[in-house]
Amino acid sequence: MINQQLLNPGSIVVIGGSNNVHKPGGSIVRNILNGGFGGPLHIVNPKEDEVQGIKVFKDVKDIPQTDLAVLVVAAKFCPDYVDYLCAEKGVRAFVIISAGFGEETKEGAALEQRILDTCEKYGAALIGPNCIGLLTRNHHSVFTLPIPNLNPQGCDFISGSGATAVFILESAVIKGLQFNSVWSIGNGKQIGIEDVLQYMDENFNPETDSKVKLLYIENISNPDKLLFHASSLIRKGCSIAAIKAGSSESGSRAASSHTGAIASSDSAVEALFRKAGIVRCYSREELTTAGCIFMVTANCEKPKNMEDRPINFAIVTHAGGPGVMLTDALSKGGLAVPKIEGPDAEELKTKLFAGSSVANPIDFLATGTAEQLGTVIDYCENKFDNIDVIAVIYGTPGLTQLYEAYDVLDKKIKECKKPIFPILPSLHTAGPEVEEFLKKGHVNFSDEVTLATTVSQIIRTPEPASPELELYGVDVPRIRDIIYRETRRLKFEGIESGYLAPDAVRELLSCAGIPLVPEMVSTSKEELIAFAEKVGFPVVAKVVGPVHKSDVGGVALNIRTPEHLALEFDRMMQIQDATSVMVQKMLKGTELFIGAKYETRFGHVVLCGLGGIFVEVLKDVSSGLAPLSYGEAYSMIHSLRGYKILKGTRGQKGINEQKYAEIIVRLSTLLRFATEIKEMDINPLLADENNVVAVDARILIER
């Protein structure tokens, strides 16, 4: 419940404010005063007469009516203060810095719930408890440093951790990144990250609001809400980057399918971010670098004719090594540093000192002048049409000052339509020059490899998926009938979960329109031999019953005669837990994999990749959140490390990518209407340039 009393209060009271700026109660008063808050600031402290020049109220009963209260007292006192301030003083917004609530004990959780109940009763907003506060351009109700430069077009930053927020701000300030607001939600008892995004989405003004959002997330309590509002903001022109912490697991969870072993809560996060269009970051440096990139590119023209080529960078430098490292990092990330040649390149060379190189990187030597820097940028902007982005690496060995060069860089950044990424590495030696450059509103990417890695991640992040669900001819009523029948079977057998029989698996996949290899399951040797002769040898025989067929010798390939099939049938029926034998027409092609796992709150995470050892050993998979669109499916396929194999390499034809994507989409639609499916995989699908056919599948359901 975010309201105006929280965002733009007319008056503030700090309960527990003090003169000791080395403690939260003193530092928060200092920050509010230094932030230039325009309304009355009241302090309640029974032990002080004056706090930082402000007359103090000994008792909360003596303060006038107030909009916002900041509590910096022991947890046990907070509920009473909230009760009184809401009922008697008209307070309708609280920032509770204090810790000792639900994050620590059951008793603390009870105190926290009492505060929430009071806030809900009076319609009051609540930030915290257990947070560093709220920083806006209207009031600096935080107790920490640094306070970044505030700008209405700066970043909105929302963090689930106070300490981490401080460290991220440290990283940002050094880069010159500016902010519009900083939200530390703490325990998020009333207002969580999803709620802040909802408010920003529902009240978004494209003319006045920040278009860059940075998130540090420790817990996604409402994935649907996060997905809806993040993707909505991105469609409105915003850029969002986020860290999701706590995604690794100490050990692989017990699972009986390939998907169960590979899928994790992190797969769900990856799928959610992909669906929403959120750029995923893994460190403070990446997150703040992403924010800087968004700021640099916000008002620049987008490169044209990008459908069939990567983004082309020009690297302008007077130091060869960093240029080479940036070239390597950009190339590794799928971006390009094209060779610059021709008459314009030769003309540029005449304007530089002897020994300079214009091939790209454009190295105009350590002796190059500020004027030459401007000339090189002008050529990249106006004459080299194959250049989309300009990266300028410019530092000093300590022999010269850089004010003139950075003045030129400032001027060109403001003039050029192509984005310019300044990489100014001499933070110590040229500290004053860099600081002056940043004061002009610019950012600095002090490390070229981090810049390249983050740009690559941004480029790889797809646009938000369409929220519309299309059935693509999937037979939903029939799917529900099959699921109902199979869950009733589980209930009759007295078990909570189990694998579907092969015929039920085929029924479900057929309802989704997923092509299946011809097969028969039987306990009759004669029936299976007749089936093999009908579809034509060679065939494959697989034992039915054991989950991991290969581990128990339950798979026989390339069976070419009835006699061979009869021998394999007899052998397999002797395997422990065998109930029957499956015979399939043997096909050839590239082995693919599709799987899914149900994650609580997220829904089904769908995985795709190359089959066989690629999924079992290399775990080269991509994830998406069901239901999936065709665009999402193609994005998943293209993000695989082994995508070149699918596309075709060394004279081999590629697979039918369109049909692979179609199967992914159809399977995700099936799953949308069958939440009883907890794990499944189709491994392998066999693919060639014409067809993609499911060969083996397992589906685990739970009633």
mmCIF file of all heavy atoms in Angstrom, residues 636-669:
data_model
loop_
_atom_site.group_PDB
_atom_site.id
_atom_site.type_symbol
_atom_site.label_atom_id
_atom_site.label_comp_id
_atom_site.label_asym_id
_atom_site.label_seq_id
_atom_site.Cartn_x
_atom_site.Cartn_y
_atom_site.Cartn_z
ATOM 1 N N MET A 636 14.862 -19.740 -26.628
ATOM 2 C CA MET A 636 15.443 -20.827 -25.848
ATOM 3 C C MET A 636 16.395 -21.657 -26.704
ATOM 4 O O MET A 636 17.512 -21.985 -26.290
ATOM 5 C CB MET A 636 14.333 -21.710 -25.278
ATOM 6 C CG MET A 636 13.503 -21.061 -24.183
ATOM 7 S SD MET A 636 11.989 -21.989 -23.812
ATOM 8 C CE MET A 636 12.688 -23.552 -23.207
ATOM 9 N N ILE A 637 15.965 -22.003 -27.902
ATOM 10 C CA ILE A 637 16.784 -22.836 -28.795
ATOM 11 C C ILE A 637 18.083 -22.104 -29.163
ATOM 12 O O ILE A 637 19.178 -22.674 -29.121
ATOM 13 C CB ILE A 637 15.982 -23.203 -30.061
ATOM 14 C CG1 ILE A 637 14.800 -24.112 -29.709
ATOM 15 C CG2 ILE A 637 16.888 -23.903 -31.081
ATOM 16 C CD1 ILE A 637 13.807 -24.286 -30.836
ATOM 17 N N HIS A 638 17.957 -20.821 -29.492
ATOM 18 C CA HIS A 638 19.131 -20.061 -29.944
ATOM 19 C C HIS A 638 20.131 -19.817 -28.823
ATOM 20 O O HIS A 638 21.308 -19.556 -29.091
ATOM 21 C CB HIS A 638 18.684 -18.729 -30.535
ATOM 22 C CG HIS A 638 17.893 -18.866 -31.800
ATOM 23 N ND1 HIS A 638 17.222 -17.819 -32.390
ATOM 24 C CD2 HIS A 638 17.648 -19.945 -32.583
ATOM 25 C CE1 HIS A 638 16.617 -18.237 -33.474
ATOM 26 N NE2 HIS A 638 16.852 -19.529 -33.619
ATOM 27 N N SER A 639 19.689 -19.873 -27.569
ATOM 28 C CA SER A 639 20.594 -19.605 -26.448
ATOM 29 C C SER A 639 21.418 -20.820 -26.044
ATOM 30 O O SER A 639 22.301 -20.712 -25.185
ATOM 31 C CB SER A 639 19.793 -19.111 -25.237
ATOM 32 O OG SER A 639 18.976 -20.136 -24.709
ATOM 33 N N LEU A 640 21.168 -21.975 -26.643
ATOM 34 C CA LEU A 640 21.934 -23.185 -26.314
ATOM 35 C C LEU A 640 23.380 -23.051 -26.797
ATOM 36 O O LEU A 640 23.643 -22.538 -27.885
ATOM 37 C CB LEU A 640 21.296 -24.413 -26.960
ATOM 38 C CG LEU A 640 19.914 -24.804 -26.442
ATOM 39 C CD1 LEU A 640 19.274 -25.834 -27.362
ATOM 40 C CD2 LEU A 640 20.003 -25.344 -25.025
ATOM 41 N N ARG A 641 24.295 -23.531 -25.989
ATOM 42 C CA ARG A 641 25.705 -23.511 -26.411
ATOM 43 C C ARG A 641 25.914 -24.386 -27.645
ATOM 44 O O ARG A 641 26.790 -24.111 -28.457
ATOM 45 C CB ARG A 641 26.602 -23.989 -25.268
ATOM 46 C CG ARG A 641 26.584 -23.096 -24.044
ATOM 47 C CD ARG A 641 27.706 -23.439 -23.078
ATOM 48 N NE ARG A 641 27.654 -24.813 -22.613
ATOM 49 C CZ ARG A 641 26.922 -25.240 -21.591
ATOM 50 N NH1 ARG A 641 26.155 -24.375 -20.930
ATOM 51 N NH2 ARG A 641 26.938 -26.500 -21.210
ATOM 52 N N GLY A 642 25.119 -25.450 -27.758
ATOM 53 C CA GLY A 642 25.240 -26.363 -28.898
ATOM 54 C C GLY A 642 24.357 -25.993 -30.069
ATOM 55 O O GLY A 642 24.089 -26.843 -30.933
ATOM 56 N N TYR A 643 23.904 -24.744 -30.127
ATOM 57 C CA TYR A 643 22.973 -24.360 -31.193
ATOM 58 C C TYR A 643 23.576 -24.552 -32.582
ATOM 59 O O TYR A 643 22.865 -24.879 -33.538
ATOM 60 C CB TYR A 643 22.530 -22.906 -31.005
ATOM 61 C CG TYR A 643 21.675 -22.410 -32.148
ATOM 62 C CD1 TYR A 643 20.439 -22.988 -32.428
ATOM 63 C CD2 TYR A 643 22.120 -21.371 -32.973
ATOM 64 C CE1 TYR A 643 19.657 -22.544 -33.485
ATOM 65 C CE2 TYR A 643 21.350 -20.919 -34.030
ATOM 66 C CZ TYR A 643 20.121 -21.507 -34.282
ATOM 67 O OH TYR A 643 19.350 -21.076 -35.338
ATOM 68 N N LYS A 644 24.887 -24.374 -32.709
ATOM 69 C CA LYS A 644 25.508 -24.542 -34.030
ATOM 70 C C LYS A 644 25.314 -25.959 -34.557
ATOM 71 O O LYS A 644 25.242 -26.173 -35.774
ATOM 72 C CB LYS A 644 26.995 -24.196 -33.958
ATOM 73 C CG LYS A 644 27.266 -22.698 -33.794
ATOM 74 C CD LYS A 644 28.746 -22.393 -33.818
ATOM 75 C CE LYS A 644 29.000 -20.898 -33.697
ATOM 76 N NZ LYS A 644 30.456 -20.576 -33.700
ATOM 77 N N ILE A 645 25.231 -26.938 -33.661
ATOM 78 C CA ILE A 645 24.976 -28.316 -34.087
ATOM 79 C C ILE A 645 23.570 -28.423 -34.667
ATOM 80 O O ILE A 645 23.340 -29.092 -35.681
ATOM 81 C CB ILE A 645 25.153 -29.290 -32.907
ATOM 82 C CG1 ILE A 645 26.598 -29.243 -32.409
ATOM 83 C CG2 ILE A 645 24.749 -30.708 -33.290
ATOM 84 C CD1 ILE A 645 26.835 -30.072 -31.157
ATOM 85 N N LEU A 646 22.616 -27.769 -34.010
ATOM 86 C CA LEU A 646 21.240 -27.804 -34.505
ATOM 87 C C LEU A 646 21.120 -27.084 -35.841
ATOM 88 O O LEU A 646 20.320 -27.471 -36.703
ATOM 89 C CB LEU A 646 20.295 -27.165 -33.486
ATOM 90 C CG LEU A 646 20.303 -27.739 -32.074
ATOM 91 C CD1 LEU A 646 19.244 -27.054 -31.225
ATOM 92 C CD2 LEU A 646 20.049 -29.244 -32.109
ATOM 93 N N LYS A 647 21.895 -26.030 -36.001
ATOM 94 C CA LYS A 647 21.826 -25.233 -37.226
ATOM 95 C C LYS A 647 22.496 -25.949 -38.400
ATOM 96 O O LYS A 647 22.183 -25.680 -39.562
ATOM 97 C CB LYS A 647 22.501 -23.883 -36.984
ATOM 98 C CG LYS A 647 22.126 -22.822 -37.984
ATOM 99 C CD LYS A 647 22.683 -21.468 -37.557
ATOM 100 C CE LYS A 647 22.280 -20.386 -38.543
ATOM 101 N NZ LYS A 647 22.827 -19.065 -38.149
ATOM 102 N N GLY A 648 23.390 -26.872 -38.080
ATOM 103 C CA GLY A 648 24.102 -27.587 -39.127
ATOM 104 C C GLY A 648 25.537 -27.131 -39.206
ATOM 105 O O GLY A 648 25.809 -25.923 -39.254
ATOM 106 N N THR A 649 26.465 -28.086 -39.203
ATOM 107 C CA THR A 649 27.880 -27.727 -39.232
ATOM 108 C C THR A 649 28.678 -28.795 -39.959
ATOM 109 O O THR A 649 28.288 -29.976 -39.990
ATOM 110 C CB THR A 649 28.420 -27.555 -37.789
ATOM 111 O OG1 THR A 649 29.778 -27.127 -37.837
ATOM 112 C CG2 THR A 649 28.311 -28.832 -36.992
ATOM 113 N N ARG A 650 29.769 -28.388 -40.569
ATOM 114 C CA ARG A 650 30.684 -29.292 -41.281
ATOM 115 C C ARG A 650 29.957 -30.185 -42.285
ATOM 116 O O ARG A 650 30.133 -31.396 -42.311
ATOM 117 C CB ARG A 650 31.447 -30.151 -40.286
ATOM 118 C CG ARG A 650 32.399 -29.335 -39.417
ATOM 119 C CD ARG A 650 33.430 -30.204 -38.755
ATOM 120 N NE ARG A 650 34.417 -29.392 -38.062
ATOM 121 C CZ ARG A 650 35.499 -29.882 -37.477
ATOM 122 N NH1 ARG A 650 35.728 -31.198 -37.511
ATOM 123 N NH2 ARG A 650 36.358 -29.100 -36.877
ATOM 124 N N GLY A 651 29.123 -29.563 -43.087
ATOM 125 C CA GLY A 651 28.449 -30.299 -44.148
ATOM 126 C C GLY A 651 27.186 -31.025 -43.728
ATOM 127 O O GLY A 651 26.448 -31.524 -44.586
ATOM 128 N N GLN A 652 26.926 -31.122 -42.437
ATOM 129 C CA GLN A 652 25.706 -31.781 -41.978
ATOM 130 C C GLN A 652 24.546 -30.800 -42.017
ATOM 131 O O GLN A 652 24.690 -29.627 -41.679
ATOM 132 C CB GLN A 652 25.890 -32.304 -40.557
ATOM 133 C CG GLN A 652 26.903 -33.441 -40.453
ATOM 134 C CD GLN A 652 26.957 -33.994 -39.039
ATOM 135 O OE1 GLN A 652 26.475 -33.376 -38.111
ATOM 136 N NE2 GLN A 652 27.540 -35.164 -38.895
ATOM 137 N N LYS A 653 23.389 -31.292 -42.414
ATOM 138 C CA LYS A 653 22.211 -30.446 -42.471
ATOM 139 C C LYS A 653 21.689 -30.169 -41.066
ATOM 140 O O LYS A 653 21.806 -31.000 -40.173
ATOM 141 C CB LYS A 653 21.125 -31.109 -43.308
ATOM 142 C CG LYS A 653 21.470 -31.221 -44.781
ATOM 143 C CD LYS A 653 20.321 -31.826 -45.567
ATOM 144 C CE LYS A 653 20.662 -31.893 -47.058
ATOM 145 N NZ LYS A 653 19.540 -32.497 -47.829
ATOM 146 N N GLY A 654 21.112 -29.010 -40.886
ATOM 147 C CA GLY A 654 20.525 -28.658 -39.604
ATOM 148 C C GLY A 654 19.175 -29.321 -39.416
ATOM 149 O O GLY A 654 18.615 -29.930 -40.333
ATOM 150 N N ILE A 655 18.647 -29.200 -38.200
ATOM 151 C CA ILE A 655 17.338 -29.793 -37.914
ATOM 152 C C ILE A 655 16.235 -28.832 -38.359
ATOM 153 O O ILE A 655 16.476 -27.675 -38.683
ATOM 154 C CB ILE A 655 17.184 -30.070 -36.406
ATOM 155 C CG1 ILE A 655 17.090 -28.746 -35.616
ATOM 156 C CG2 ILE A 655 18.315 -30.927 -35.889
ATOM 157 C CD1 ILE A 655 16.477 -28.891 -34.248
ATOM 158 N N ASN A 656 15.006 -29.321 -38.370
ATOM 159 C CA ASN A 656 13.848 -28.491 -38.653
ATOM 160 C C ASN A 656 13.529 -27.695 -37.387
ATOM 161 O O ASN A 656 12.796 -28.147 -36.505
ATOM 162 C CB ASN A 656 12.658 -29.354 -39.068
ATOM 163 C CG ASN A 656 11.503 -28.514 -39.589
ATOM 164 O OD1 ASN A 656 11.175 -27.481 -39.029
ATOM 165 N ND2 ASN A 656 10.888 -28.981 -40.669
ATOM 166 N N GLU A 657 14.110 -26.515 -37.303
ATOM 167 C CA GLU A 657 14.003 -25.700 -36.094
ATOM 168 C C GLU A 657 12.559 -25.288 -35.807
ATOM 169 O O GLU A 657 12.131 -25.212 -34.655
ATOM 170 C CB GLU A 657 14.880 -24.460 -36.269
ATOM 171 C CG GLU A 657 15.154 -23.693 -35.000
ATOM 172 C CD GLU A 657 16.143 -22.563 -35.249
ATOM 173 O OE1 GLU A 657 17.192 -22.816 -35.871
ATOM 174 O OE2 GLU A 657 15.842 -21.434 -34.828
ATOM 175 N N GLN A 658 11.807 -25.051 -36.876
ATOM 176 C CA GLN A 658 10.421 -24.624 -36.697
ATOM 177 C C GLN A 658 9.603 -25.709 -36.012
ATOM 178 O O GLN A 658 8.799 -25.427 -35.114
ATOM 179 C CB GLN A 658 9.813 -24.267 -38.059
ATOM 180 C CG GLN A 658 8.424 -23.645 -37.977
ATOM 181 C CD GLN A 658 7.302 -24.673 -38.002
ATOM 182 O OE1 GLN A 658 7.475 -25.747 -38.571
ATOM 183 N NE2 GLN A 658 6.180 -24.357 -37.378
ATOM 184 N N LYS A 659 9.828 -26.966 -36.375
ATOM 185 C CA LYS A 659 9.063 -28.055 -35.755
ATOM 186 C C LYS A 659 9.519 -28.311 -34.320
ATOM 187 O O LYS A 659 8.712 -28.677 -33.464
ATOM 188 C CB LYS A 659 9.177 -29.324 -36.598
ATOM 189 C CG LYS A 659 8.428 -29.211 -37.919
ATOM 190 C CD LYS A 659 8.210 -30.558 -38.596
ATOM 191 C CE LYS A 659 7.325 -30.385 -39.832
ATOM 192 N NZ LYS A 659 7.050 -31.672 -40.513
ATOM 193 N N TYR A 660 10.800 -28.114 -34.043
ATOM 194 C CA TYR A 660 11.281 -28.245 -32.659
ATOM 195 C C TYR A 660 10.619 -27.191 -31.782
ATOM 196 O O TYR A 660 10.129 -27.478 -30.683
ATOM 197 C CB TYR A 660 12.801 -28.102 -32.645
ATOM 198 C CG TYR A 660 13.460 -28.406 -31.309
ATOM 199 C CD1 TYR A 660 12.884 -29.268 -30.379
ATOM 200 C CD2 TYR A 660 14.688 -27.829 -30.979
ATOM 201 C CE1 TYR A 660 13.503 -29.537 -29.165
ATOM 202 C CE2 TYR A 660 15.320 -28.101 -29.781
ATOM 203 C CZ TYR A 660 14.712 -28.950 -28.869
ATOM 204 O OH TYR A 660 15.326 -29.217 -27.666
ATOM 205 N N ALA A 661 10.588 -25.944 -32.282
ATOM 206 C CA ALA A 661 9.936 -24.869 -31.528
ATOM 207 C C ALA A 661 8.453 -25.169 -31.337
ATOM 208 O O ALA A 661 7.887 -24.920 -30.257
ATOM 209 C CB ALA A 661 10.122 -23.539 -32.256
ATOM 210 N N GLU A 662 7.822 -25.706 -32.356
ATOM 211 C CA GLU A 662 6.388 -26.025 -32.259
ATOM 212 C C GLU A 662 6.124 -27.061 -31.172
ATOM 213 O O GLU A 662 5.164 -26.938 -30.394
ATOM 214 C CB GLU A 662 5.875 -26.541 -33.603
ATOM 215 C CG GLU A 662 4.391 -26.874 -33.594
ATOM 216 C CD GLU A 662 3.894 -27.350 -34.938
ATOM 217 O OE1 GLU A 662 4.513 -27.017 -35.965
ATOM 218 O OE2 GLU A 662 2.877 -28.074 -34.964
ATOM 219 N N ILE A 663 6.981 -28.065 -31.071
ATOM 220 C CA ILE A 663 6.795 -29.082 -30.030
ATOM 221 C C ILE A 663 6.968 -28.472 -28.645
ATOM 222 O O ILE A 663 6.225 -28.784 -27.708
ATOM 223 C CB ILE A 663 7.772 -30.259 -30.255
ATOM 224 C CG1 ILE A 663 7.393 -31.020 -31.526
ATOM 225 C CG2 ILE A 663 7.777 -31.200 -29.055
ATOM 226 C CD1 ILE A 663 8.373 -32.099 -31.914
ATOM 227 N N ILE A 664 7.956 -27.594 -28.489
ATOM 228 C CA ILE A 664 8.161 -26.912 -27.200
ATOM 229 C C ILE A 664 6.913 -26.135 -26.812
ATOM 230 O O ILE A 664 6.438 -26.198 -25.669
ATOM 231 C CB ILE A 664 9.383 -25.984 -27.280
ATOM 232 C CG1 ILE A 664 10.674 -26.785 -27.466
ATOM 233 C CG2 ILE A 664 9.490 -25.109 -26.024
ATOM 234 C CD1 ILE A 664 11.898 -25.936 -27.766
ATOM 235 N N VAL A 665 6.363 -25.386 -27.770
ATOM 236 C CA VAL A 665 5.174 -24.580 -27.501
ATOM 237 C C VAL A 665 3.982 -25.467 -27.152
ATOM 238 O O VAL A 665 3.248 -25.211 -26.194
ATOM 239 C CB VAL A 665 4.858 -23.680 -28.713
ATOM 240 C CG1 VAL A 665 3.492 -23.011 -28.546
ATOM 241 C CG2 VAL A 665 5.944 -22.624 -28.890
ATOM 242 N N ARG A 666 3.775 -26.528 -27.931
ATOM 243 C CA ARG A 666 2.628 -27.414 -27.697
ATOM 244 C C ARG A 666 2.743 -28.120 -26.339
ATOM 245 O O ARG A 666 1.748 -28.264 -25.616
ATOM 246 C CB ARG A 666 2.515 -28.433 -28.828
ATOM 247 C CG ARG A 666 2.032 -27.835 -30.140
ATOM 248 C CD ARG A 666 1.959 -28.858 -31.248
ATOM 249 N NE ARG A 666 1.320 -28.304 -32.436
ATOM 250 C CZ ARG A 666 0.008 -28.249 -32.625
ATOM 251 N NH1 ARG A 666 -0.801 -28.751 -31.701
ATOM 252 N NH2 ARG A 666 -0.500 -27.728 -33.714
ATOM 253 N N LEU A 667 3.943 -28.547 -26.001
ATOM 254 C CA LEU A 667 4.129 -29.195 -24.698
ATOM 255 C C LEU A 667 3.843 -28.215 -23.564
ATOM 256 O O LEU A 667 3.201 -28.564 -22.568
ATOM 257 C CB LEU A 667 5.562 -29.722 -24.578
ATOM 258 C CG LEU A 667 5.886 -30.396 -23.241
ATOM 259 C CD1 LEU A 667 5.079 -31.671 -23.077
ATOM 260 C CD2 LEU A 667 7.371 -30.687 -23.127
ATOM 261 N N SER A 668 4.297 -26.976 -23.707
ATOM 262 C CA SER A 668 4.065 -25.987 -22.650
ATOM 263 C C SER A 668 2.580 -25.686 -22.498
ATOM 264 O O SER A 668 2.096 -25.434 -21.385
ATOM 265 C CB SER A 668 4.834 -24.698 -22.954
ATOM 266 O OG SER A 668 4.212 -23.923 -23.958
ATOM 267 N N THR A 669 1.834 -25.728 -23.591
ATOM 268 C CA THR A 669 0.387 -25.511 -23.520
ATOM 269 C C THR A 669 -0.297 -26.675 -22.820
ATOM 270 O O THR A 669 -1.205 -26.482 -21.998
ATOM 271 C CB THR A 669 -0.185 -25.323 -24.936
ATOM 272 O OG1 THR A 669 0.532 -24.278 -25.606
ATOM 273 C CG2 THR A 669 -1.664 -24.949 -24.877
#
